[in-house]
Amino acid sequence: MKIAVIGAACTKFGELWTKSLQDLLAESQLKALQDAQLKPNQIDEIFTGNMCAGMFSGQMHLGGMAAQILNTKCPSTTIEGACASGSLAIRAGIMAIESGQAQVVMVNGVEKMTDLDSSIITTGLMGAGSQETEHFVGATFPALNALIARIYMSEFRLTREQLAQVSVKNHKHGALNPNAHFRREVSIQDVINSQMIADPLTIFDCPPISDGAASLILASPEFAKKYTAKKTIPVYIIGSGQACDTLNLSQRESYTELVASQLAAKQAYKMANVTPEDINIAELHDGFSIMEIISLEDLGFFKKGQAGKATELGLTTFGSKLVVNPSGGLKSKGHPVGATGVSQAYEIVKQLKGECDKRQVKNAKVGLTHNIGGCGTTAVVHIFAQE
Amino acid sequence: MFQSSPIPYWRRQKENFCLQGCKCTKCSKFYYPKKYLCTCGCEKLDPIILNGTGTLLSFTKINLPPAEFVGMAPYCIGLIVLDEGPKIISQIADCDDINDLKIGMPVKTVFRKYYSCGKDKIINYGLKFIKANSHPAQ
């Protein structure tokens, strides 16, 4: 498989008081068109990833909103899969092109979260799990991750300091990203001593509540070759995988791995004909520090139980063979839920083009994005390469 | 924003009040909550009341609660494996100090209030878990 990314854009992430859901979506859509040097009428189809606009802004039907912004009448659809909505929209775009239905597709991800109180946001995000069982007993999303963290820490002797190092590393990266929500470094002690959210996870183990949007323009290789010959060099998506596990965390077999991530990664590696050793940069779903540790193992970068030590030794930061979350990840860049998957792809595309300034990873050739919805209920993996 | 109708809770009263799960008529595997299709492929699962005793697999204490639970925080949440096999996520009641909880600790159900909903403030009750060797507070 080979799908060209001929345009990419991302808004700043953060508490953007002056910007509405529609403002954010329009900003990233128009920037992406500009990046691709295309006109709206050249877009054959639009997919927009979003989780909570219906709840947080009372606005559903974002497909219609995205088409209206571009004054287009092409097919336009909203895609929802909790925190993985953005990556699912990318997959929908890939399939539209692969099927021959479309030559050029716009993919968006957007979320407007900061208009509401955090307890209402917490309630909304619990929709990613089981309403009837987990929500009923007040098991928040951080709580479900805390249950996983405690089991992993006890089974693999992951120390609190090693877990905190994930956030320390991602804040270090995010400090170099002008679009990041939090652009400051934190220490291990800052993480451990910060406000306890769901024991043992503190606020610095959790992603922030952010506003933001990101967009990509995908195209068939034929279109890309014809159209972008004199313009920018496209980056290609060469592998795509998606899998599901139970909605209820209680119904899992194991709590120290996410089977959906493993299956999605296996599909994507096979399709792209690469191995974990070939990956130079990865945007992993560090929605909670423990998820980066578990995902590093699920994606085959480190052996089971080794990711904490590897993080402590600096094997996931600048200068190592694999750089994980050069953007700052969900933790520091921010986590506007529906936008996250598309913004991960934006980061990898920009890195592969060598346009990342201070956070540029040298000699990056093959990149990976990994996006989770719920506590591993949905997992999506994409692999990107320069050619 | 959240469920303002008591009807969904009325519909789930046996699952919430009596820990009603189900058992596969073919392979005898137990489930909680109800399951529509057994992993063995059988579609016939009979409702059955589970014992309500089990073992704590993991736990946490929530300081930042969702809107409905604001008055209740902080409270403890546990992942429990029931003696019949299914796992359940529930609140751990009568626990002020999270250090009292240990992985592997035996636990049992107790009937408690969850939260009230809607303009009529109808109270939702359900099961929580306590240490197996303790007597529930009155």
Side-chain angles (χ1 to χ4, degrees):
Chain A
M1 187 197 75
K2 206 174 160 190
I3 297 285
V5 184
I6 60 171
C10 194
T11 67
K12 183 168 172 26
F13 283 6
E15 297 186 4
L16 310 174
W17 308 115
T18 60
K19 289 183 181 168
S20 69
L21 177 75
Q22 186 162 226
D23 293 340
L24 292 165
L25 182 58
E27 182 182 330
S28 80
Q29 281 184 287
L30 295 178
K31 273 187 183 163
L33 276 181
Q34 222 171 53
D35 189 48
Q37 302 177 42
L38 288 181
K39 297 273 177 266
N41 62 8
Q42 289 174 288
I43 304 291
D44 297 326
E45 187 151 3
I46 306 172
F47 294 100
T48 301
N50 173 265
M51 179 184 174
C52 284
M55 220 177 191
F56 296 165
S57 309
Q59 178 67 60
M60 289 182 261
H61 209 168
L62 298 193
M65 180 183 274
Q68 176 176 285
I69 287 167
L70 297 188
N71 305 317
T72 171
K73 300 208 164 13
C74 76
S76 181
T77 312
T78 318
I79 306 278
E80 192 274 320
C83 310
S85 300
S87 290
L88 293 177
I90 295 175
R91 252 180 85 85
I94 290 170
M95 287 188 277
I97 294 170
E98 287 272 284
S99 73
Q101 276 291 309
Q103 285 272 302
V104 186
V105 170
M106 171 180 273
V107 172
N108 310 306
V110 64
E111 207 76 55
K112 175 70 193 174
M113 306 179 79
T114 64
D115 283 350
L116 299 166
D117 183 76
S118 66
S119 68
I120 299 174
I121 299 290
T122 303
T123 298
L125 295 178
M126 284 164 84
S130 162
Q131 209 286 329
E132 287 192 344
T133 55
E134 291 157 359
H135 190 163
F136 178 74
V137 300
T140 59
F141 213 51
L144 299 179
N145 280 273
L147 293 173
I148 292 173
R150 191 177 301 277
I151 295 178
Y152 187 99
M153 289 169 89
S154 125
E155 212 160 299
F156 294 105
R157 296 173 180 272
L158 174 75
T159 66
R160 184 65 188 90
E161 287 74 17
Q162 288 170 340
L163 185 61
Q165 185 59 36
V166 172
S167 303
V168 171
K169 184 261 298 175
N170 287 342
H171 268 268
K172 198 175 120 199
H173 293 182
L176 304 172
N177 182 355
N179 281 338
H181 188 159
F182 291 118
R183 296 193 63 196
R184 61 167 187 271
E185 296 195 24
V186 297
S187 69
I188 286 181
Q189 285 315 312
D190 288 338
V191 176
I192 296 174
N193 296 330
S194 65
Q195 185 196 352
M196 189 65 83
I197 298 295
D199 195 303
L201 302 181
T202 65
I203 198 155
F204 275 109
D205 289 296
C206 307
I209 292 166
S210 322
D211 305 325
S215 299
L216 298 182
I217 313 275
L218 306 181
S220 64
E222 300 75 42
F223 182 94
K225 202 170 278 174
K226 208 168 58 194
Y227 192 77
T228 61
K230 291 174 209 145
K231 295 175 182 169
T232 55
I233 309 295
V235 165
Y236 292 93
I237 302 178
I238 57 169
S240 175
Q242 181 191 342
C244 244
D245 206 337
T246 61
L247 180 67
N248 291 49
L249 184 66
S250 63
Q251 292 182 19
R252 301 281 167 80
E253 297 289 327
S254 166
Y255 294 97
T256 56
E257 60 190 355
L258 301 181
V259 173
S261 291
Q262 295 169 354
L263 294 173
K266 207 171 152 190
Q267 291 167 29
Y269 286 138
K270 193 177 168 201
M271 194 184 281
N273 196 24
V274 299
T275 65
E277 288 74 41
D278 296 319
I279 308 292
N280 314 120
I281 41 169
E283 284 284 304
L284 293 200
H285 194 96
D286 61 320
F288 303 96
S289 47
I290 186 65
M291 282 297 137
E292 178 162 321
I293 297 288
I294 290 178
S295 303
L296 283 169
E297 296 166 357
D298 287 338
L299 296 169
F301 297 134
F302 298 102
K303 288 202 182 83
K304 193 77 220 152
Q306 300 295 308
K309 189 76 191 161
T311 303
E312 185 182 12
L313 292 172
L315 300 181
T316 55
T317 189
F318 296 115
S320 63
K321 198 169 129 270
L322 167 73
V323 181
V324 177
N325 285 324
S327 71
L330 281 61
K331 177 68 206 78
S332 165
K333 182 183 61 179
H335 184 32
V337 179
T340 288
V342 184
S343 77
Q344 291 178 322
Y346 167 84
E347 177 70 14
I348 297 295
V349 168
K350 290 285 162 188
Q351 287 282 355
L352 293 177
K353 286 177 148 189
E355 296 173 0
C356 283
D357 198 19
K358 283 183 186 157
R359 64 181 197 288
Q360 180 63 45
V361 177
K362 293 195 180 69
N363 301 318
K365 298 267 189 302
V366 185
L368 174 150
T369 60
H370 163 254
N371 196 193
I372 303 172
C375 278
T377 300
T378 294
V380 190
V381 173
H382 283 121
I383 297 173
F384 299 73
Q386 284 170 332
E387 186 53 53
Chain B
M1 192 63 222
F2 27 86
Q3 291 204 0
S4 56
S5 162
I7 300 169
Y9 304 109
W10 169 81
R11 214 160 32 226
R12 285 179 43 78
Q13 52 186 300
K14 283 188 177 160
E15 278 170 316
N16 285 348
F17 300 167
C18 318
L19 209 65
Q20 176 178 284
C22 60
K23 186 181 178 185
C24 176
T25 53
K26 197 172 157 200
C27 76
S28 298
K29 189 173 177 181
F30 287 90
Y31 291 96
Y32 181 89
K34 73 176 170 195
K35 183 95 176 154
Y36 302 88
L37 176 65
C38 182
T39 50
C40 80
C42 177
E43 284 183 41
K44 194 165 176 350
L45 295 115
D46 288 341
I48 189 164
I49 305 290
L50 301 167
N51 240 339
T53 51
T55 309
L56 196 59
L57 290 181
S58 188
F59 53 90
T60 183
K61 186 176 187 178
I62 294 180
N63 290 309
L64 183 71
E68 308 87 314
F69 290 86
V70 167
M72 193 178 270
Y75 54 90
C76 292
I77 291 279
L79 171 65
I80 295 133
V81 57
L82 299 169
D83 291 343
E84 295 91 342
K87 292 184 284 278
I88 180 172
I89 289 171
S90 187
Q91 281 195 18
I92 308 293
D94 304 344
C95 176
D96 294 329
D97 186 358
I98 191 173
N99 295 316
D100 291 345
L101 301 178
K102 297 273 177 295
I103 292 176
M105 196 174 89
V107 289
K108 64 180 180 188
T109 51
V110 63
F111 192 74
R112 288 294 161 86
K113 175 185 170 179
Y114 268 100
Y115 58 91
S116 53
C117 71
K119 62 174 170 41
D120 298 327
K121 298 281 174 214
I122 293 170
I123 297 170
N124 286 301
Y125 293 93
L127 296 173
K128 299 185 184 182
F129 283 76
I130 54 171
K131 275 194 249 181
N133 56 5
S134 65
H135 298 287
Q138 293 304 307

